[in-house]
Amino acid sequence: MTPGPQNAITDIHGLKVGHAQDNALKSGVTVLTAETPFTASVSVQGGAPGTRETELLAPDKSVAQVDALVLAGGSAYGLDACSGVVAGLRAQGRGFRVGNAIIPLVPGAIIFDLLSGGNKDWTDTPYPTLGRAAFEAATDHTDIGTIGAGTGAMTAMMKGGLGTASLTLGNGITVGALVAANPMGSVTTPGDRHFWAAPFEVDGEFGGLGPDPTTGLGRSLDSRKLTAMLERANTTIAIVATDATLDKAQCQRVAIAAHDGIARACVPAHSPGDGDLVFSVSISAKPLTSPQDLTLIGHAAAVCLSRAIARGVFAATPAPDDLLPTWSQLNAQT
């Protein structure tokens, strides 16, 4: 398995990612879409999720494909970002057709960043506008760090961020991940230097420091974040995708497997206060050729997700009124 040319979910041909953020608000939106509808499912493992239209992604539901997926800040307010994406799709004449009606299908999920600093004293929610802007900004590449849905993200000990990673398997299938990392848990071991995801790093993509050589890790759950804000201000939301041809049930199985990537990169993960969620996408370009292909795709999705979480935090940049430092600030003198 080797990273694609961009080491990004947009290495999967046909997928586009767009971001919009308001730096004064310290929040934003990230949208994944494509020129045509795509198959998708979801797995929710956190205890406090915030979602829109995820139930229709269950394998037993009749909707086969969707038009876009949204990752947003803003907690419940951020779910309105989906409405902005729906408006953008409708303006392009895209969506599920029932007679003369057009119904864009846009599931979404949110992180809690309402206490991450920034001016949250709005009159009209800004998220529909941010959602529309992110949709219209979608391209076949993506930046990482303090951008889009990762703008206001924080981990236990430092700023979070928006990350992505990809792998191309030996059979030619590509797998990618896109994540807004805002967990209750830490993404680095005690000392703020080594990433929990270090065993899965490729080519020094988040510092090349390797695993922490210390033993007995994981027994302390110190958190600057809990000191700065409420315990429920958490969640890691992600999209994993592949160009393999998968149905909704197979997509759901990949989403379940990908949650291992969160658990490997965030300690603890899937807590009662986290809304950890993974969407899984197939653009159905390459047929499966072996019974083992689905296992490999799920494994690659988990590895990509671990790497994407670390990359997003590693790339986070400082901004005025931040409540927590970035990884680079904490390690500037080491």
Side-chain angles (χ1 to χ4, degrees), residues 133-152:
F135 170 72
E136 293 179 347
T139 66
D140 59 2
H141 66 275
T142 177
D143 293 326
I144 61 174
T146 306
I147 189 172
T151 301

Side-chain angles (χ1 to χ4, degrees), residues 83-122:
S83 297
V85 178
V86 167
L89 286 160
R90 186 177 186 278
Q92 296 181 9
R94 297 172 56 186
F96 183 72
R97 291 184 175 270
V98 182
N100 293 327
I102 300 175
I103 309 170
L105 299 177
V106 184
I110 49 85
I111 64 172
F112 186 105
D113 60 4
L114 296 179
L115 299 178
S116 61
N119 180 14
K120 304 299 197 296
D121 188 24
W122 63 74

Side-chain angles (χ1 to χ4, degrees), residues 146-175:
T146 306
I147 189 172
T151 301
M154 296 192 294
T155 74
M157 303 301 283
M158 61 193 67
K159 282 187 73 169
L162 192 287
T164 190
S166 70
L167 286 171
T168 298
L169 312 187
N171 56 14
I173 290 171
T174 299
V175 177

Side-chain angles (χ1 to χ4, degrees), residues 71 150 161-164 177-182 236-239 262 305 308-310 312:
L71 308 179
L162 192 287
T164 190
L178 180 71
V179 61
N182 183 59
T236 298
I237 51 176
I239 303 168
I262 296 177
L305 186 46
I309 290 168

Side-chain angles (χ1 to χ4, degrees), residues 31-38 52-54 56-57 63-70 79-108 131-132 135:
V31 175
L32 180 134
T33 189
E35 293 299 326
T36 58
F38 48 84
R52 168 169 160 160
E53 292 199 314
T54 50
L56 63 80
L57 300 179
V63 170
Q65 297 181 313
V66 299
D67 301 291
L69 294 172
V70 172
L79 293 175
D80 282 339
C82 297
S83 297
V85 178
V86 167
L89 286 160
R90 186 177 186 278
Q92 296 181 9
R94 297 172 56 186
F96 183 72
R97 291 184 175 270
V98 182
N100 293 327
I102 300 175
I103 309 170
L105 299 177
V106 184
R132 178 76 177 261
F135 170 72

Side-chain angles (χ1 to χ4, degrees), residues 46 81 99 131 151 153 204 229-230 292 299:
T151 301
M229 61 201 302
L230 296 175
Q292 295 301 313
H299 170 61

